[in-house]
Amino acid sequence: MDALFPFGFPARTAGYLALYVSVLALHVVFMSYVLAGTGYLAWVALRGDRHGLPAGMRPAARVLRDWMPFALGATITTGVAPLLFVQVLYEHVFYTANLLLLHGWMAIVPVLVAGFYLLYLLKGRALEGRSGAVRAAIGAAAWGCVAFTGWSWAENHLLSLHA
């Protein structure tokens, strides 16, 4: 698969690659929203109480906080199709990389579950009386869960290139 996409491939492979790129692009939109949104929420929680943010930033943070659990669910849902395509298109190297990264790769599921709970905790009213540092720590931990998933994917991909 060294040829320039989608030229030089058999029709079925080119079709799979085109569909793969389409569903991956949709996943990247949601993933970028979640990664940037959780980082923004952590920053607003840390800086908002002490330094006074502009009035337009707080409503954006409120909307992000309310929609972030849904966005993470949409990110995971839209990530299933690219995962299936990777398994079909890069079968042997993908599975080899999975075996070599076993514990780190399998940690994605509990880390994303923890990320869901952290986002729901950030969304709920349980943190209203807490300091900005506590809310920032929870936001940063949620961001860390999303970032860990991306790091694991990148690590798997880089390893599969050399498998």
Side-chain angles (χ1 to χ4, degrees):
M1 292 217 177
D2 293 331
L4 182 64
F5 175 80
F7 307 109
F9 294 112
R12 287 185 181 175
T13 304
Y16 277 130
L17 282 171
L19 193 53
Y20 166 62
V21 168
S22 300
V23 295
L24 182 63
L26 182 61
H27 172 67
V28 166
V29 167
F30 283 113
M31 181 220 29
S32 299
Y33 179 83
V34 169
L35 190 62
T38 53
Y40 179 75
L41 287 175
W43 181 76
V44 165
L46 183 64
R47 310 287 268 164
D49 293 335
R50 284 189 273 157
H51 299 291
L53 293 172
M57 287 184 149
R58 288 201 176 123
R62 229 177 292 125
V63 170
L64 274 174
R65 186 187 64 218
D66 290 342
W67 281 95
M68 202 52 61
F70 170 79
L72 182 58
T75 302
I76 293 169
T77 303
T78 58
V80 171
L83 175 62
L84 296 176
F85 278 110
V86 166
Q87 291 176 357
V88 170
L89 292 170
Y90 304 102
E91 179 182 1
H92 298 292
V93 295
F94 181 73
Y95 287 121
T96 302
N98 287 346
L99 290 173
L100 292 172
L101 297 173
L102 177 65
H103 298 296
W105 184 248
M106 293 307 293
I108 289 175
V109 174
V111 165
L112 284 176
V113 170
F116 258 121
Y117 285 124
L118 290 169
L119 288 173
Y120 276 112
L121 185 60
L122 201 60
K123 179 180 177 178
R125 300 201 184 276
L127 298 177
E128 283 182 358
R130 303 285 183 188
S131 69
V134 171
R135 289 192 310 267
I138 291 172
W143 181 87
C145 291
V146 176
F148 172 80
T149 304
W151 174 74
S152 296
W153 267 100
E155 184 180 37
N156 192 320
H157 174 69
L158 291 173
L159 188 58
S160 71
L161 291 176
H162 299 290

